[in-house]
């Protein structure tokens, strides 16, 4: 064992935990009786129909294989492939998120650079920030009159705060020495913002962006459960209504995997802009 | 004071002190620096050296008074005044080379990229940095190497005036020595005007044409301007044998140890404070009194004891 690196040992342990967990799960589900073993009475009372219990992992894996081998089929409003549902969710998350970035990063810059702007906007931020993004939903639905746009709006609202606050914080914290370097080189305000302040504040800004994308992905599931129609959140809720727990578990796992991929992408961006003082 | 290349006129700086009162760092400070001169300013910590330098750089405005360079008033920072800060102030996300090209591209926006890189590489090699090291980030360089990059960035821009704020303060003695030599080498090739803050007497004697001595604050004054009568080129191991070396050194030590305190806190009202010129030259003295400056003899008294 000593010869293996920490990483190798961790991978082995992960697999052991995964397989152990799956075996315990599989073993704890009572087996369904085969139809031939049923008595006449059981057959008449519907006991032969599969019970809506928690499915064993083998079924979930089978379901995953089936869904992932044809992710983009479209058989009407209530039967779309998992790929299509995730694509809808990602489209809403990314559009709301990028709109939020377009607003939050410039305003964050302004707040970070100007104490007056900071003091003027701070009360609004303090009041608006703690509001659960879903609380905006009824208002959004009423004003926008469109469920898809309302979901995007909710994502916009929940993504804006971490980016705004981190940008302001990062910009305000840029060392005055670096700003002085820009000043002694006669850089104009735009050039200073782009070549000195932005790279100096980038790690903090990207941290805010990473927090935001995480929150946006959490919120989209709930938002889509509310507005319905399409998306991974709607899919989970719809499968629950169908009592198809296998699909519910499968889609829960997919939510985790997509969230992890989004986070990893921003983690990579974070490493790209990081610097050591 | 007749118009020198750089003329500091009745500079006064006050800061609000904690209790809502005003703290006067210095008052009516006036002195001049000639073109091509290397001037060091010596004084105890907190007397206002950095404050003066920030005003010369245009990074801060004085409470009153003016700084004139080439007859024009200094307002705001300019590429004509290059600054080397004590903490190097390199941009940590850029490589050593990019830190220099950053400055050169700002100074010469019309240059091609290749020319900017070539020019920057040349100045980096002048301070002893080449090869792989110039592509490293500041965090991967030693303190000495970082300060070399900072010096290369300043010299590569050919500023009319170069300002250095305790550039070697954070370096160990050996590194300090090598970089001082490199600074001398690069400076002697350019006849650049340099204004440098230091608290190291030997460094000041090695580098400067003239040393300005500051009394302690508040109400600090630039009290004396000591000429360094040791011919160039100077070598650190040879100047100590020069007859003027210890005479000058003793004068400086004496000033910093006792007189900077005695002279401190003297409010002078509205008159302008110009430093007294001190010229210590044992060789001239030995030759007989053929100097037309009547002062050295009187000033030597303080030195000989
Ligand atoms: N921005 C400021 N506000 C208030 N006091 C200051 C400020 N800058 C410097 N001082 C004070 O001015 C004096 C001179 O500071 P400084 O020029 O940094 O000294 P030195 O560089 O000679 O060590 C110190 O007493 C310092 O506390
Ligand atoms: Mg200082």
């Amino acid at each position: 064992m000593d010869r293996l690196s920490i990483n190798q040992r961790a991978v082995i342990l992960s697999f052991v935990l995964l397989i152990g967990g799956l075996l315990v799960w599989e073993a704890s589900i009572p087996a369904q009786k085969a139809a031939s073993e049923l008595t006449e009475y059981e057959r008449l009372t519907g006991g032969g129909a599969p019970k809506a219990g928690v499915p064993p992992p083998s079924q979930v894996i089978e379901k995953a294989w089936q869904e992932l081998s044809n992710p983009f089929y479209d058989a009407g409003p209530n039967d779309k492939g998992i790929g299509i549902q995730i694509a809808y969710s990602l489209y809403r998350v990314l559009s709301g998120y990028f709109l939020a970035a377009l607003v939050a990063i410039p305003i964050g810059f302004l707040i970070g650079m100007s104490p007056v702007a900071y003091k003027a906007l701070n009360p609004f931020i303090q009041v608006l920030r703690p509001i659960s993004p879903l609380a905006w939903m009824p208002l959004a639905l009423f004003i926008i009159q469109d469920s898809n746009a309302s979901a995007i709006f909710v994502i916009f609202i929940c993504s804006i705060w971490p980016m705004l606050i981190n940008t302001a914080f990062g910009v305000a914290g840029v060392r005055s020495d670096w700003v002085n370097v820009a000043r002694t080189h006669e850089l104009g305000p735009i050039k200073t913002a782009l070549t000195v302040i932005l790279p100096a504040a980038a790690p903090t800004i990207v941290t805010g962006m990473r927090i935001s994308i995480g929150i946006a992905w959490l919120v989209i599931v709930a938002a889509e459960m509310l507005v319905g129609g399409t998306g991974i959140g709607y899919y989970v809720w719809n499968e629950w209504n169908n009592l198809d727990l296998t699909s519910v578990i499968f889609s829960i796992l997919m939510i985790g995997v997509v969230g992890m991929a989004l986070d990893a992408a921003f983690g990579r961006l974070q490493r790209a802009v990081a610097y050591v003082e | 004071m007749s118009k020198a290349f750089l003329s500091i006129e009745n500079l006064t700086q006050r800061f609000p002190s904690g209790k809502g009162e005003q703290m006067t760092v210095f008052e009516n400070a006036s002195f001049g620096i000639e073109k091509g001169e290397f001037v060091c300013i010596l004084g105890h910590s907190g007397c206002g050296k950095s404050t003066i330098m920030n005003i010369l750089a245009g990074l801060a405005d004085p409470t009153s008074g003016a700084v004139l360079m080439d007859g024009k008033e200094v307002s705001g920072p300019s590429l004509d005044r290059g600054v080397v800060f004590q903490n190097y102030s390199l941009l940590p996300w850029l490589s050593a080379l990019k830190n220099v090209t950053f400055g050169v591209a700002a100074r010469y926006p019309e240059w091609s990229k290749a020319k900017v890189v070539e020019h920057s590489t040349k100045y980096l090699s002048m301070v002893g940095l080449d090869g792989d090291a110039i592509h490293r980030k500041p965090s991967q360089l030693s303190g000495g190497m970082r300060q070399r990059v900072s010096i290369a960035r300043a010299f590569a821009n050919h500023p009319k005036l170069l300002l250095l704020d305790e550039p070697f303060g954070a370096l160990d003695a050996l590194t300090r020595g090598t970089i001082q030599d490199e600074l001398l080498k690069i400076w002697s090739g350019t006849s650049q005007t340099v204004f440098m803050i230091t608290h190291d007497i030997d460094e000041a004697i090695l580098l400067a044409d003239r040393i300005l001595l500051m009394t302690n604050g508040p109400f600090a004054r630039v009290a004396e301007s000591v000429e360094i009568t040791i011919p160039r080129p100077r070598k650190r191991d040879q100047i100590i044998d020069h007859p003027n070396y210890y005479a000058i050194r003793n004068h400086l030590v004496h000033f910093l140890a006792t007189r900077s305190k005695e002279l401190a806190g003297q409010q002078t009202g509205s008159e302008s404070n110009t430093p007294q010129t001190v010229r210590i030259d044992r060789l001239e003295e030995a030759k007989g009194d053929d100097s037309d400056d009547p002062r050295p003899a009187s000033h030597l008294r303080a030195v000989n004891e």
Side-chain angles (χ1 to χ4, degrees), chain A residues 63-115:
Chain A
K63 175 82 190 172
W65 179 257
Q66 198 185 321
E67 284 285 346
L68 292 177
S69 50
N70 184 16
F72 295 109
Y73 74 90
D74 187 351
N78 278 339
D79 193 9
K80 291 191 201 325
I82 187 81
I84 292 186
Q85 305 289 19
I86 288 178
Y88 272 113
S89 298
L90 278 177
Y91 154 71
R92 293 190 182 113
V93 162
L94 294 180
S95 16
Y97 179 81
F98 281 110
L99 284 175
L102 282 182
V103 174
I105 293 175
I107 294 182
F109 246 83
L110 186 71
I111 294 177
M113 296 188 84
S114 146

Side-chain angles (χ1 to χ4, degrees), chain B residues 235-303:
Chain B
K235 287 260 170 2
R236 72 181 59 256
D237 51 344
Q238 286 162 13
I239 56 169
I240 50 174
D241 297 328
H242 195 274
N244 291 344
Y245 183 80
Y246 279 102
I248 294 170
R249 194 174 190 284
N250 288 345
H251 180 82
L252 300 175
V253 169
H254 181 66
F255 181 93
L256 289 178
T258 52
R259 290 177 52 230
S260 64
K261 266 188 258 72
E262 288 163 17
L263 295 168
Q266 294 173 6
Q267 237 169 307
T268 43
S270 59
E271 57 187 286
S272 112
N273 290 319
T274 44
Q276 207 170 9
T277 304
V278 176
R279 184 179 165 85
I280 299 166
D281 194 342
R282 288 297 173 80
L283 295 176
E284 260 173 31
E285 219 181 329
K287 266 190 277 168
D289 217 1
D290 53 2
S291 156
D292 23 31
D293 185 353
R295 261 187 300 197
S298 67
H299 270 278
L300 275 172
R301 257 187 292 118
V303 172

Side-chain angles (χ1 to χ4, degrees), chain A residues 175 177-178 180-187 191 195-197 199-201 273-277, chain B residues 57-60 77-81 83 85 87 89-93 102-103 106 139 153 157:
Chain A
R175 294 228 327 243
D177 297 332
W178 301 337
N180 281 344
V181 169
R183 291 179 65 201
T184 53
H185 287 93
E186 288 185 41
L187 300 189
K191 200 124 196 252
T195 60
V196 176
I197 297 176
V273 299
Y275 59 83
V276 188
E277 266 185 51
Chain B
L59 292 169
S78 150
L79 282 161
D80 284 338
R81 278 163 278 122
V83 189
F85 299 93
N87 42 21
S89 289
L90 298 177
L91 304 175
W93 55 89
F102 173 92
S139 59
R153 178 173 68 187
N157 270 9

Side-chain angles (χ1 to χ4, degrees), chain A residues 13-26:
Chain A
L13 187 59
S14 287
F15 270 105
V16 169
L17 287 173
L18 176 68
I19 290 165
L22 290 178
L23 285 176
V24 170
W25 176 5
E26 183 86 42

Side-chain angles (χ1 to χ4, degrees), chain B residues 49-50 86 165-166 197:
Chain B
K49 305 182 296 294
S50 296
Q86 171 164 13
D165 189 349
E166 301 196 23
I197 297 177

